[in-house]
Amino acid sequence: MRPILMKGHERPLTFLRYNRDGDLLFSCAKDHTPNVWFADNGDRLGTYRGHNGAVWSCDVSRDSTRLITGSADQTAKLWDVQTGRELFTFRFDAPARSVEFAIGDGLAVITTDNFMENVPTAQSEESLLVITGIKGRINRAVWGPLNRTIITAGEDATIRIWDTETGQCLKESDKEQGHQKTITSLSKSADWSHFLTGSLDKSAKLWDTRTLTLIKTYVTERPVNAVDISPLLDHILQEEIGGVKGHFGPINALAFNPDGRSFSSGGEDGYVRLHHFDSDYFNIKI
């Protein structure tokens, strides 16, 4: 598995996201400028210029026409994917950390950091709903099934499921079974039935989306900075099947291509590496 090296950022990577068709890859970094790449050969297609701070996350609409980004410059921006034109700016009183479109792309969840005594929230400008009261930074917020819930995770090591109609907290992860240190990343399965979290406590955990039941814990030797779930092979492995070396320094972002045949990684070294799986990977016997 020989990776393709993609150099378009001048500072460490923070987030990676494929579009639904899997032909485009969007990358965010601390250098203020999100990039878009062809996902098959790693050629850079364009950039999105307008942020004045690190860009922490992004999401792309189902039809690949709109991109949303969240930045340390206290804004979230909506972009035209094809032209790179800035369409709208959501302004906040604190850095915008996590962004994600809802099903239908008519709504987005945006989280802001605990900054200068500002309480972290899940919100938008002229918000339909504002969720407050969480201590510590929210590193990831994602929509649950049918847009009925929002799942949050972050510095306080607790996963919470919120009702999108009332803003009420419906469930919290068990403190004994859950993570013991900051949750760095969260990734949903393709069918939204379960999700995976990674933490500085040197573990990744697989959860049931509806019940918040812990399914499995994966213990590692190092803090987990990024996680993702294969959309192709629907198995829960009991042991590590391989590793990929190459980045210089920590890996901050991971993303599986929706076809399950490749994945991308983004590192502290400023590189995106595109990995296409060898045929042996698809013949693994569990």
Side-chain angles (χ1 to χ4, degrees):
M1 184 165 59
R2 185 182 298 274
I4 299 172
L5 269 65
M6 299 142 68
K7 180 61 174 175
H9 292 285
E10 298 175 356
R11 298 201 60 204
L13 271 291
T14 57
F15 197 79
L16 296 169
R17 172 76 81 190
Y18 284 93
N19 67 338
R20 179 171 174 263
D21 294 330
D23 58 342
L24 298 177
L25 173 66
F26 297 85
S27 61
C28 302
K30 294 181 180 179
D31 63 3
H32 310 177
T33 306
N35 284 204
V36 59
W37 315 77
F38 285 115
D40 56 348
N41 59 15
D43 288 346
R44 185 163 64 167
L45 182 58
T47 58
Y48 301 89
R49 300 186 181 276
H51 280 298
N52 295 312
V55 182
W56 296 120
S57 64
C58 70
D59 195 19
V60 59
S61 61
R62 187 179 178 87
D63 61 3
S64 300
T65 62
R66 298 289 182 264
L67 177 73
I68 188 170
T69 54
S71 172
D73 65 6
Q74 302 186 0
T75 69
K77 292 181 182 290
L78 191 67
W79 309 84
D80 184 296
V81 168
Q82 185 173 2
T83 66
R85 183 168 61 93
E86 182 182 320
L87 301 176
F88 189 79
T89 298
F90 301 90
R91 302 186 186 278
F92 306 104
D93 296 325
R97 177 70 51 170
S98 176
V99 296
E100 186 177 82
F101 284 118
I103 296 176
D105 302 322
L107 297 170
V109 59
I110 304 169
T111 70
T112 56
D113 286 357
N114 191 349
F115 181 68
M116 297 294 287
E117 298 185 359
N118 181 76
V119 178
T121 57
Q123 64 176 8
S124 71
E125 195 163 290
E126 298 183 2
S127 307
L128 294 177
L129 175 69
V130 178
I131 298 171
T132 62
I134 303 172
K135 293 182 180 180
R137 187 174 66 214
I138 305 169
N139 286 329
R140 288 294 293 146
V142 301
W143 293 89
L146 303 177
N147 298 343
R148 292 175 179 170
T149 56
I150 292 171
I151 305 167
T152 62
E155 277 189 336
D156 67 356
T158 302
I159 301 165
R160 295 178 177 87
I161 298 180
W162 306 83
D163 187 297
T164 54
E165 292 289 334
T166 66
Q168 179 183 359
C169 183
L170 302 176
K171 294 183 179 68
E172 285 190 2
S173 57
D174 182 84
K175 293 189 181 302
E176 291 187 6
Q177 285 190 325
H179 288 292
Q180 303 305 308
K181 292 185 179 180
T182 296
I183 298 172
T184 56
S185 55
L186 188 156
S187 177
K188 298 179 291 189
S189 63
D191 62 2
W192 294 32
S193 63
H194 51 281
F195 64 91
L196 185 66
T197 53
S199 170
L200 298 182
D201 66 6
K202 302 180 181 179
S203 75
K205 293 178 182 287
L206 188 67
W207 306 83
D208 183 283
T209 301
R210 295 187 184 277
T211 65
L212 201 54
T213 301
L214 179 63
I215 300 172
K216 183 170 175 60
T217 297
Y218 304 88
V219 178
T220 69
E221 297 177 354
R222 300 176 182 85
V224 179
N225 292 338
V227 296
D228 204 8
I229 298 176
S230 169
L232 187 62
L233 302 180
D234 57 346
H235 53 248
I236 300 174
L237 294 176
Q238 301 299 318
E239 60 185 33
E240 183 178 311
I241 61 172
V244 179
K245 296 181 179 180
H247 280 288
F248 184 79
I251 295 173
N252 300 329
L254 284 175
F256 261 104
N257 191 301
D259 67 9
R261 297 188 173 277
S262 63
F263 75 95
S264 294
S265 56
E268 194 75 13
D269 56 8
Y271 282 93
V272 179
R273 296 171 74 93
L274 177 60
H275 312 262
H276 290 276
F277 287 112
D278 297 330
S279 58
D280 294 347
Y281 168 76
F282 303 101
N283 299 318
I284 295 172
K285 301 299 181 183
I286 307 303

